[in-house]
Amino acid sequence: AIFVVAITMSSSSKQLRLSRRSSELAQAVPQVMARRVGRMMQAGPVPSMEDQQEFIRMGMEKLEAFGEAWWAMVLQGSQVQQQFALWWMQTWWKVALGGWMHPPTLSSLSNGASRNLMNGWLDVTLCGVAPMHRRAVANARRLNGAGR
């Protein structure tokens, strides 16, 4: 599933969501790596069929997660570029069709552009982190539950 983040979410809530996901990812990845490397060490030079399946699953999950992340980022990035172009054209038309009497200052235009771009690229980053976060957290739960 590809996630496209809603553009209406505030920048601070997007930053909070990104930091929360990053911290969960930073906790889950070492746990999963420790379990899997330990399993590789225990398997030795001739791993069992169960170990081989887990190792194949590990590689396939990485390929799938990165593929999903890149595709989600491409789609979201295209949407961000279109939204920014629309904002820019709307701003230009406002100035061209009557805003010349009270033109916006350069700093207000710059702030608006910065705000739009920051929100958009936060969306792109959230879309890119989501597939890896989802898999790493699920693997940590699965592998930690299997060890109990």
Side-chain angles (χ1 to χ4, degrees):
I2 296 175
F3 295 99
V4 177
V5 179
I7 198 70
T8 58
M9 195 185 315
S10 74
S11 177
S12 61
S13 64
K14 289 176 190 177
Q15 291 172 347
L16 182 62
R17 178 184 278 178
L18 181 60
S19 65
R20 190 177 320 118
R21 283 191 179 165
S22 297
S23 118
E24 289 171 356
L25 197 56
Q27 291 174 354
V29 168
Q31 292 175 14
V32 172
M33 286 180 63
R35 292 278 183 179
R36 286 186 164 162
V37 169
R39 190 166 182 171
M40 286 179 192
M41 297 295 286
Q42 286 178 340
V46 184
S48 68
M49 185 58 76
E50 183 182 344
D51 287 333
Q52 289 178 20
Q53 288 174 347
E54 178 66 24
F55 301 154
I56 290 170
R57 179 180 185 171
M58 176 179 53
M60 293 304 294
E61 281 179 343
K62 284 177 179 46
L63 292 173
E64 290 171 359
F66 282 108
E68 280 182 34
W70 278 107
W71 185 242
M73 290 171 69
V74 165
L75 293 176
Q76 189 66 38
S78 298
Q79 185 177 358
V80 166
Q81 290 173 346
Q82 290 173 1
Q83 289 169 347
F84 184 72
L86 176 65
W87 173 83
W88 193 251
M89 287 303 296
Q90 287 172 340
T91 303
W92 185 86
W93 278 109
K94 283 179 189 174
V95 171
L97 297 177
W100 56 271
M101 294 183 76
H102 303 286
T105 64
L106 185 58
S107 67
S108 71
L109 286 175
S110 176
N111 289 339
S114 296
R115 188 173 42 256
N116 283 340
L117 286 174
M118 185 173 127
N119 277 334
W121 294 117
L122 277 170
D123 290 338
V124 172
T125 306
L126 281 167
C127 287
V129 168
M132 292 175 280
H133 172 269
R134 189 173 53 252
R135 282 188 174 82
V137 170
N139 281 336
R141 287 186 187 129
R142 180 177 61 84
L143 293 172
N144 286 337
R148 290 181 187 160

